[in-house]
């Protein structure tokens, strides 16, 4: 497109005039962003087409990654990084009087995800393209994201995340590729030419219209596709008059119900209507995406028996599990295959990643709801369940309880995780501990039945996004020391370990860290009007707010630190700045109370003169990918303190690790593998082990009240929740937190781990005083972070699960 800044400036100014009719002097920052986005899109258009043509000609196997979330964040900076354009565009804009960083801030974070599930999917797409695999994403184009979080008087208040308000420069609407998706109706069964035929009549049809977003590989002429589906009306307004006087209003009601399918991420499912809408969303994604996949496959001219050789369909958690019965429906009803052949094809095509051990997150749908909304799909699920239970009874004739436990349909509920396991050829966990718990606890009978299907694929992050893009100066320092090979081969970061005791590298690295802290401090000053000490420990916990993630333990410990300082204000302290970022689900009252508690404690601490230079608390609202890119490079300490056995993997831990933060955490999720790599000396471990937690759950023996009575530190902070004092104005404000810990026996063992956590935090403070030793630990963390690159993870998926290999466009072979 342009090899130097002069060519860029010429192309940019021409586009600015032709597209917007503006001169550079009249242009706004939003105009500049839009034109750069258009230039990038035009540049990759040919590569996008060539990549798709190569897939068609070479007929290599392609992966389709179905996920309800793709938390891709902002695209401009990452796309320019992958295309090698950052320096050219930055310098060209500077000549024109613009700062590239300001332009990047014009882009809204795409409202396509919420947490780790969606961010993992985004990292996987980046690695698939960078490694030149034929791998695409399939999701929903939500009109609104989860929500925009604002903190008002310490309370979380949710506002619509209208991320598409100004359009989205990266998408391409493909109206010609729209697909019909049907709901409701009645199934009629008949005989035709000796075979049973199923026809759904009186169904309600909607259009699924695809919007394609290019996924660019790092310095590769390789562009994959993230296809996002939007629901649109399939009713012809011109025919409304034929259906009576009230047809217009019926049309409006229908149109509204259609648009709601792709309107917003994760409708509130605490009521029937919200639950129904979630089910609609999931089927809409599965049916539209699958029909599109099969349309591409049919262009190869191969029989459907070859589908598993050319297509791998991967479901990211249980949300897209309806892929399994929908593929059966299409193969049987649409393609005329028999049950056994269709089941053989399906179970060799679909693979499944489990992301949770929490029983409430293992989806179940009411039988009546699924049967009414998707009558033919339910019939197929019922038949799968019948055949599966029949097989179990043959194998275990005297174990009816086991059959009931493993059934897909039980107690008028359809268990989606069971359906996913039965209908997939591969089931993987996302960390070694998580996979072992799946095999020997949560999914134990299924593992005993299908041991060959279960495997581990520890999660990963794209190191280019989270190190090269988010922390460019540290990336440059690494490349100056060990070369640039680590960019394509992240395990080469291990070569950095030889510099852990090198004073020059330590000084450079810690100087970069301080600069990142100053930049974050400036952001905080601009947003919140608070000054932050860059020489304090930046102790960070940023993630979805949930009881098992234990933000509550963090803030209770801060209350303890406050009490400690008040008791002995003259004692020497290592300055601490605690930074939180978290969204609570709108209906999760306890989580929202914890957010309020954090703000109440912050208000007290930050206004107390005795805390100055010792303790400070910040909550950065509306946590997002782009905000994480500011926070993570500045962090000294990474809080990964979930209850052992509850976090499937975590990926935030990996992002902090690769940026040189030290982890304080439990042996949970991928922390276990981090500990194997780093040892006790390079992270701060505490708390119950997973087996201890499981034993408490199984056999009892834990009494939170005993911890409250035994440890005066705990008693003091718990009492401060409900009795008048610095943090409590009236007892009802935090009564629900008090009850969760004492009346409900502390489900997530906050009090049980509190003392150990406090000791680990004291160890953090002592370690930080020795700056050289701290720097050495930081280098060791970075050096071992390559193990957690999503490039490595995707290579394992490619070889062990999907059986795919890189595809190169013909002219680049």
């Amino acid at each position: 497109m342009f090899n130097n800044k002069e060519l860029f400036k010429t192309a940019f100014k021409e586009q600015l005039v032709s597209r917007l009719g503006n001169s550079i002097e009249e242009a706004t920052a939003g105009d500049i962003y839009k034109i750069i986005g258009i230039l990038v899109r035009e540049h990759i258009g040919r590569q996008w087409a060539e990549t798709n043509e190569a897939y068609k000609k070479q007929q290599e196997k392609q992966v389709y990654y179905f996920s309800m979330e793709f938390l891709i964040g902002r695209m401009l900076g990452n796309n320019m990084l992958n295309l090698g354009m950052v320096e050219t565009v930055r310098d060209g804009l500077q000549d024109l009087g613009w700062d590239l960083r300001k332009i990047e801030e014009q882009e809204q974070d795409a409202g396509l995800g919420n947490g780790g599930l969606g961010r993992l999917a985004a990292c996987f797409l980046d690695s698939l393209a960078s490694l030149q695999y034929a791998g695409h994403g399939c999701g929903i184009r939500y009109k609104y994201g989860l929500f925009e979080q604002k903190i008002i008087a310490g309370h979380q208040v949710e506002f619509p995340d209208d991320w598409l308000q100004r359009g989205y420069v990266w998408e391409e609407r493909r109206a010609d590729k729209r697909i019909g998706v049907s709901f409701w109706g009645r199934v009629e069964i008949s005989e035709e030419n000796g075979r049973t035929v199923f026809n759904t009549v009186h169904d309600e049809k909607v259009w699924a219209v695809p919007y394609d977003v290019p996924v660019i590989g790092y310095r590769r002429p390789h562009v994959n596709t993230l296809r996002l589906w939007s629901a649109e009306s399939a009713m012809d307004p011109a025919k409304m008059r034929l259906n009576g006087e009230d047809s217009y209003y019926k049309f409006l009601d229908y149109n509204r119900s259609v648009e709601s399918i792709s309107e917003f991420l994760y409708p509130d499912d605490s009521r029937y209507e919200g639950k129904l809408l979630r089910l609609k969303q999931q089927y809409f994604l599965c049916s539209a995406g699958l029909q599109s996949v099969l349309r591409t496959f049919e262009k190869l001219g191969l029989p459907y028996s070859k589908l598993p050789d050319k297509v791998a369909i991967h479901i990211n958690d249980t949300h897209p599990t309806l892929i399994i019965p929908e593929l059966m429906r299409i193969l049987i009803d649409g393609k005329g295959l028999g049950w056994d052949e269709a089941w053989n094809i399906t179970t060799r095509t679909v693979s499944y990643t489990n992301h949770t051990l929490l029983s409430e997150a293992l989806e179940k749908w009411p039988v009546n709801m699924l049967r009414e909304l998707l009558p033919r799909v339910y019939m197929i699920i019922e038949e799968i369940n019948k055949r599966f239970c029949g097989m179990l009874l043959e194998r275990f004739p005297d174990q009816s309880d086991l059959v009931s436990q493993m059934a897909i349909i039980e107690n008028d509920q359809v268990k989606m995780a069971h359906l996913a396991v039965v209908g997939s050829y591969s089931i993987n966990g996302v960390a070694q501990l998580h996979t072992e718990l799946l095999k020997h606890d949560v999914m134990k009978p299924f593992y005993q039945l299908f041991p060959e299907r279960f495997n581990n694929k520890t999660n990963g992050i794209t190191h280019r996004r989270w190190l090269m893009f988010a922390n460019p100066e540290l990336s440059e320092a690494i490349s100056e020391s060990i070369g640039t090979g680590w960019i394509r081969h992240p395990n080469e970061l291990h070569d950095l370990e030889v510099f852990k005791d090198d004073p020059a590298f330590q000084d450079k690295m810690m100087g970069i860290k301080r600069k990142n802290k100053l930049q974050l401090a400036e952001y905080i000053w601009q947003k919140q009007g608070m000054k932050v000490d860059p020489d304090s420990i930046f102790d960070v916990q940023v993630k979805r707010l949930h009881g098992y993630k234990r933000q509550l333990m963090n803030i209770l410990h801060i209350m303890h630190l406050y009490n400690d300082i008040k008791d002995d204000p003259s004692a020497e302290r290592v300055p601490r700045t605690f930074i939180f970022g978290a969204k609570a689900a709108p209906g999760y009252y306890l989580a929202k109370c914890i957010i309020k508690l954090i703000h109440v404690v912050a208000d007290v601490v930050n206004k107390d003169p005795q805390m100055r230079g010792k303790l400070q608390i910040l909550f950065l609202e509306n946590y997002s990918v782009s905000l994480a890119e500011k926070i993570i490079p500045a962090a000294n300490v990474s809080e990964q303190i979930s209850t052992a056995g509850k976090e499937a993997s975590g990926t935030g831990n990996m992002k902090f690790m690769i940026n040189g933060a030290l982890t304080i955490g439990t042996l949970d999720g991928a922390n276990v593998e981090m500990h194997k790599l780093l040892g006790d000396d390079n992270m701060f471990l505490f708390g119950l082990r997973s087996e201890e937690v499981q034993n408490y759950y199984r056999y009892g023996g834990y009494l939170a009240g005993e911890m409250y009575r035994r440890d005066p530190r705990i008693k003091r902070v718990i009492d401060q929740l409900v009795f008048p004092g610095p943090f409590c104005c009236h007892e009802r404000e935090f009564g629900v937190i008090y009850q969760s810990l004492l009346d409900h026996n502390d489900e997530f063992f906050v009090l049980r781990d509190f003392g150990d956590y406090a000791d680990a935090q004291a160890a953090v403070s002592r370690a930080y005083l020795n700056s050289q030793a701290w720097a050495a630990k930081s280098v060791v963390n970075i050096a071992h972070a390559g193990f957690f690159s999503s490039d490595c993870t995707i290579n394992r998926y490619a070889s062990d699960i999907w059986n795919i290999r890189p595809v190169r466009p013909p002219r680049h072979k």
Side-chain angles (χ1 to χ4, degrees):
M1 178 170 61
F2 30 76
N3 299 319
N4 59 61
K5 68 177 182 179
E6 297 304 324
L7 291 175
F8 162 72
K9 288 191 292 185
T10 300
F12 174 81
K13 286 187 282 190
E14 288 175 356
Q15 286 287 337
L16 189 61
V17 172
S18 63
R19 297 271 184 173
L20 303 179
N22 278 348
S23 66
I24 191 67
E25 291 78 18
E26 298 170 320
T28 66
D31 295 336
I32 305 294
Y33 161 73
K34 185 174 182 179
I35 294 302
I36 296 175
I38 289 170
L39 287 170
V40 172
R41 275 287 317 279
E42 289 183 349
H43 174 63
I44 64 172
R46 178 175 295 178
Q47 295 177 359
W48 203 359
E50 288 177 350
T51 302
N52 288 325
E53 187 63 24
Y55 292 162
K56 184 178 178 181
K57 286 184 177 179
Q58 298 179 37
Q59 295 195 2
E60 289 287 350
K61 189 174 186 179
Q62 299 191 52
V63 175
Y64 298 89
Y65 195 85
F66 280 70
S67 178
M68 291 299 287
E69 296 185 40
F70 288 92
L71 197 59
I72 56 178
R74 295 169 175 166
M75 298 288 284
L76 178 61
N78 195 64
N79 283 343
M80 291 194 302
L81 173 72
N82 286 349
L83 290 168
M85 294 168 46
V86 174
E87 187 175 345
T88 299
V89 173
R90 183 183 62 232
D91 293 348
L93 286 178
Q94 189 172 351
D95 286 356
L96 297 171
W98 288 94
D99 182 351
L100 177 58
R101 288 175 298 181
K102 182 179 179 181
I103 302 306
E104 289 174 347
E105 292 291 327
Q106 300 305 304
E107 183 174 3
Q108 289 266 90
D109 278 53
L112 301 172
N114 173 34
L117 182 85
R119 187 54 231 167
L120 179 77
C123 287
F124 278 8
L125 293 187
D126 182 278
S127 288
L128 281 164
S130 296
L131 297 169
Q132 295 187 283
Y133 289 118
H136 314 284
C138 189
I140 293 178
R141 181 183 182 264
Y142 303 105
K143 183 178 180 181
Y144 299 102
L146 184 68
F147 58 83
E148 181 180 355
Q149 180 195 56
K150 292 197 178 294
I151 303 299
I152 300 175
H155 294 279
Q156 170 181 291
V157 180
E158 300 92 22
F159 291 86
D161 175 17
D162 194 4
W163 70 283
L164 287 169
Q165 187 177 27
R166 293 183 292 174
Y168 192 52
V169 71
W170 306 109
E171 68 184 8
E172 184 69 33
R173 177 181 164 91
R174 309 280 192 186
D176 59 313
K177 297 184 183 297
R178 70 183 186 179
I179 283 172
V181 177
S182 293
F183 301 99
W184 310 109
R186 186 182 77 254
V187 179
E188 292 184 346
I189 305 173
S190 60
E191 294 289 326
E192 291 183 11
N193 300 321
R195 57 185 302 272
T196 305
V197 176
F198 302 86
N199 287 310
T200 303
V201 297
H202 306 304
D203 52 325
E204 182 181 278
K205 182 179 178 181
V206 304
W207 288 122
V209 178
Y211 288 72
D212 288 350
V213 177
V215 182
I216 304 167
Y218 178 74
R219 306 292 172 90
R220 302 281 197 190
H222 193 102
V223 183
N224 286 333
T225 301
L226 168 58
R227 175 157 286 182
L228 302 169
W229 297 95
S230 179
E232 297 185 10
S233 170
M235 185 182 290
D236 185 356
K239 297 179 180 178
M240 286 189 302
R241 295 192 187 91
L242 303 177
N243 297 320
E245 293 181 0
D246 62 346
S247 59
Y248 172 70
Y249 297 103
K250 288 181 179 178
F251 171 77
L252 292 181
D253 289 342
Y254 159 78
N255 216 41
R256 180 74 187 92
S257 71
V258 170
E259 290 175 352
S260 69
I261 294 172
S262 57
E263 191 166 30
F264 51 94
L265 173 67
Y266 294 147
D268 180 7
D269 62 353
S270 60
R271 298 183 356 181
Y272 180 89
E273 293 79 6
K275 200 171 186 70
L276 178 65
L277 183 53
R278 281 207 187 196
L279 181 58
K280 264 190 169 183
Q281 284 186 332
Q282 293 183 9
Y283 181 68
F284 174 79
L285 168 63
C286 293
S287 182
L290 185 56
Q291 289 183 67
S292 176
V293 169
L294 298 183
R295 180 189 284 172
T296 300
F297 169 75
E298 287 178 348
K299 292 178 181 178
L300 300 178
L302 299 172
Y304 266 89
S305 60
K306 297 293 185 183
L307 182 69
D309 299 328
K310 299 299 178 182
V311 170
I313 295 174
H314 198 88
I315 56 178
N316 192 28
D317 218 2
T318 55
H319 310 122
T321 301
L322 289 171
I323 280 282
I324 293 165
E326 178 68 358
L327 181 53
M328 290 291 290
R329 184 191 70 80
I330 293 171
L331 293 176
I332 294 170
D333 298 354
K335 308 303 174 185
L337 274 61
W339 180 277
D340 290 341
E341 186 179 4
W343 186 245
N344 177 268
I345 291 169
T346 298
T347 55
R348 292 192 298 119
T349 302
V350 179
S351 50
Y352 159 55
T353 293
N354 174 281
H355 278 279
T356 184
L357 299 167
L358 301 177
S359 58
E360 67 267 24
L362 295 171
E363 287 186 308
K364 304 178 185 69
W365 295 108
V367 162
N368 287 340
M369 179 186 289
L370 210 157
R371 181 167 49 206
E372 291 172 11
L373 182 68
L374 308 168
R376 178 61 179 137
V377 167
Y378 177 76
M379 289 175 67
I380 291 171
I381 295 173
E382 203 170 38
E383 184 67 19
I384 294 171
N385 181 62
K386 177 183 173 183
R387 292 175 181 239
F388 177 62
C389 290
M391 180 268 286
L392 291 176
L393 285 169
E394 284 184 9
R395 291 198 184 189
F396 313 106
D398 300 323
Q399 299 186 47
S400 58
D401 289 346
L402 177 66
V403 176
S404 296
Q405 180 188 351
M406 298 178 69
I408 296 166
I409 302 173
E410 188 201 17
N411 295 329
D412 291 325
Q413 298 278 328
V414 180
K415 299 179 177 180
M416 303 309 281
H418 292 196
L419 178 58
V421 171
V422 172
S424 301
Y425 67 87
S426 170
I427 301 100
N428 73 279
V430 292
Q432 286 180 0
L433 174 61
H434 171 237
T435 302
E436 290 306 303
L437 288 170
L438 277 181
K439 293 193 299 186
H440 302 297
D441 184 22
V442 179
M443 296 284 183
K444 183 177 180 179
F446 290 97
Y447 173 63
Q448 291 173 334
L449 184 65
F450 305 122
E452 73 286 352
R453 297 187 185 184
F454 284 77
N455 61 93
N456 178 61
K457 298 291 175 285
T458 298
N459 281 346
I461 60 167
T462 170
H463 58 288
R464 288 171 291 272
R465 178 70 175 256
W466 292 103
L467 181 54
M468 290 183 68
F469 177 71
N471 203 343
E473 289 194 35
L474 179 58
S475 301
E476 186 177 340
I478 291 169
S479 294
E480 288 173 356
S481 300
I482 63 171
T484 59
W486 64 273
I487 297 172
R488 291 203 186 278
H489 307 286
N491 280 325
E492 291 186 17
L493 279 172
H494 194 272
D495 295 344
L496 194 67
E497 190 164 10
V498 299
F499 292 92
K500 69 176 183 177
D501 296 315
D502 182 274
F505 185 80
Q506 285 187 353
D507 288 347
K508 179 179 287 188
M509 184 188 68
M510 297 309 287
I512 293 167
K513 177 67 74 175
R514 192 174 193 282
K515 183 176 179 180
N516 292 335
K517 292 170 76 173
L518 285 167
Q519 290 174 350
L520 180 59
E522 176 61 23
Y523 172 86
I524 292 167
W525 171 251
Q526 294 295 330
K527 290 292 184 180
Q528 297 190 4
M530 290 188 65
K531 292 187 177 180
V532 180
D533 178 9
D535 294 318
S536 64
I537 297 175
F538 279 21
D539 184 311
V540 179
Q541 188 175 19
V542 285
K543 54 183 74 234
R544 179 171 60 93
L545 209 148
H546 194 284
Y548 82 84
K549 294 179 183 287
R550 301 203 292 191
Q551 286 94 343
L552 178 56
M553 184 165 65
N554 191 347
I555 193 62
L556 290 177
H557 173 255
I558 295 170
M559 291 165 63
H560 159 65
L561 292 179
Y562 173 86
N563 292 334
D564 211 27
I565 295 170
K566 295 299 284 186
D567 291 344
D568 187 4
S570 62
E572 288 292 321
R573 313 276 177 179
V574 178
R576 289 290 195 106
T577 298
F578 289 92
I579 298 173
F580 292 87
K583 290 183 178 182
Y588 193 174
Y589 183 64
L590 175 62
K592 296 175 93 167
C593 285
I594 293 170
I595 288 178
K596 173 62 174 176
L597 177 62
I598 292 169
H599 282 87
V600 167
V601 176
D603 190 57
V604 171
V605 167
N606 296 341
K607 289 179 178 178
D608 190 327
Q610 288 184 320
M611 301 298 120
R612 195 166 297 129
K614 297 175 182 177
L615 186 62
Q616 191 171 20
I617 308 167
L618 296 154
F619 187 100
L620 303 185
E621 69 180 10
N622 205 39
Y623 183 61
S624 62
V625 174
S626 57
L627 183 52
E629 289 164 351
K630 295 178 174 66
I631 296 171
I632 291 173
N636 298 116
V637 174
S638 163
E639 297 267 356
Q640 308 297 330
I641 59 177
S642 54
T643 307
K646 293 295 184 182
E647 186 75 80
S649 169
T651 52
N653 46 5
M654 304 167 188
K655 295 162 194 164
F656 283 102
M657 180 186 185
I658 205 167
N659 280 277
L662 305 191
T663 298
I664 180 169
T666 53
L667 279 174
D668 191 28
N671 289 358
V672 175
E673 286 142 285
M674 287 172 59
H675 179 246
K676 287 180 180 177
L677 294 168
L678 298 172
D680 291 337
D681 293 339
N682 298 296
M683 59 191 301
F684 302 91
L685 290 178
F686 72 94
L688 293 169
R689 300 318 193 235
S690 172
E691 57 273 18
E692 294 175 297
V693 171
Q694 297 305 312
N695 284 337
Y696 276 133
Y697 284 138
R698 287 194 189 103
Y699 309 118
Y702 173 60
L703 296 173
E706 285 188 6
M707 305 303 302
Y708 169 78
R709 289 185 290 272
R710 185 190 309 164
D711 190 330
R713 299 170 301 178
I714 292 175
K715 186 178 188 307
R716 188 174 180 183
V717 297
I718 298 302
D719 286 349
Q720 285 174 328
L721 295 175
V722 292
F723 296 122
F727 307 121
C728 179
C729 297
H730 55 83
E731 63 181 58
R732 292 184 180 179
E733 186 164 33
F734 301 123
V736 67
I737 298 175
Y738 182 93
Q739 290 168 359
S740 74
L741 294 172
L742 295 182
D743 297 350
H744 302 304
N745 204 38
D746 186 16
E747 179 184 2
F748 298 113
F749 303 98
V750 170
L751 304 187
R752 176 63 177 79
D753 279 348
F754 181 90
D756 206 6
Y757 177 61
D759 292 343
Q761 284 284 15
V764 169
S765 292
R766 290 192 298 271
Y768 195 72
L769 291 172
N770 186 336
S771 59
Q772 288 184 328
W774 185 277
K777 295 176 192 292
S778 184
V779 174
V780 172
N781 270 264
I782 298 167
H784 287 278
F787 176 84
F788 296 108
S789 167
S790 54
D791 284 11
C792 301
T793 309
I794 283 297
N795 277 327
R796 290 191 285 268
Y797 273 89
S799 60
D800 300 348
I801 297 178
W802 300 328
N803 190 28
I804 58 172
R805 59 186 182 181
V807 180
R808 293 174 177 82
R811 67 190 182 93
H812 296 285
K813 277 189 171 182

